[in-house]
């Protein structure tokens, strides 16, 4: 009986999440790629505030790992005509970057002559 009750709770939660994702998609506040959901609220904030808001929502700052995920992030850059923070940081290795957890990047798509450290990467 406990398993049946738990399955029903899970089913209801999945339904609620699906409805919320549907509303967000209608408002163009969420997009998906590679099994990941990318969302933005259009508000401007510094990196630490962005990191905190993402964690509070149960997610993390976007970390593009392939062209599709990069395009999902670019969607919001264009939609809000603003930059996007990425979940990466400078590596101890000169001219290299890594994810916030220290893992080296395996995918990059920098503009020519970037990253320059001037905020236009």
């Amino acid at each position: 009986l406990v398993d049946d009750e738990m399955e029903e709770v899970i089913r209801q939660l999945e339904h609620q999440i699906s409805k919320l994702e549907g509303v967000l998609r209608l408002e163009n506040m969420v997009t998906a790629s590679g099994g990941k959901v990318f969302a933005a609220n259009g508000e401007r904030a510094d990196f630490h505030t962005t990191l905190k808001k993402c964690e509070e929502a149960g997610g993390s700052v976007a970390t593009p790992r392939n062209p599709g995920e990069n395009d999902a992030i670019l969607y919001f850059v264009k939609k809000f005509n603003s930059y996007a923070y990425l979940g990466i940081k400078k590596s101890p290795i000169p001219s290299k970057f890594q994810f916030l957890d220290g893992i080296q990047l395996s995918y990059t798509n920098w503009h020519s002559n970037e990253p320059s450290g001037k905020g236009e990467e």
Side-chain angles (χ1 to χ4, degrees):
L1 184 62
V2 173
D3 287 342
D4 289 341
E5 290 174 358
M6 190 62 111
E7 284 182 24
E8 177 61 20
V9 168
I10 290 170
R11 190 191 64 72
Q12 289 175 5
L13 288 171
E14 287 173 338
H15 179 71
Q16 289 174 346
I17 290 168
S18 177
K19 284 175 45 179
L20 289 171
E21 285 180 345
V23 169
L24 290 172
R25 284 183 206 279
L26 287 174
E27 294 178 8
N28 297 319
M29 303 298 271
V30 68
T31 189
S33 179
K36 292 182 182 177
V37 175
F38 296 83
N41 61 13
E43 295 177 13
R44 295 180 187 258
D46 62 38
F47 180 77
H48 295 292
T49 301
T50 301
L51 186 64
K52 182 180 175 186
K53 290 285 186 184
C54 289
E55 288 174 352
E56 286 173 355
S60 61
V61 178
T63 55
R65 296 176 189 260
N66 59 55
E69 292 177 6
N70 193 76
D71 288 346
I73 297 164
L74 186 58
Y75 164 81
F76 291 114
V77 169
K78 290 178 179 179
K79 175 178 174 50
F80 297 115
N81 191 30
S82 181
Y83 56 85
Y85 290 115
L86 301 177
I88 63 175
K89 63 183 179 180
K90 287 185 180 180
S91 170
I93 302 167
S95 302
K96 298 288 183 183
F97 286 79
Q98 62 189 21
F99 294 109
L100 297 178
D101 62 8
I103 296 172
Q104 294 297 313
L105 300 183
S106 58
Y107 167 80
T108 60
N109 187 26
W110 302 114
H111 279 229
S112 183
N113 300 316
E114 299 292 355
S116 65
K118 297 178 182 175
E120 300 175 1
E121 284 73 22

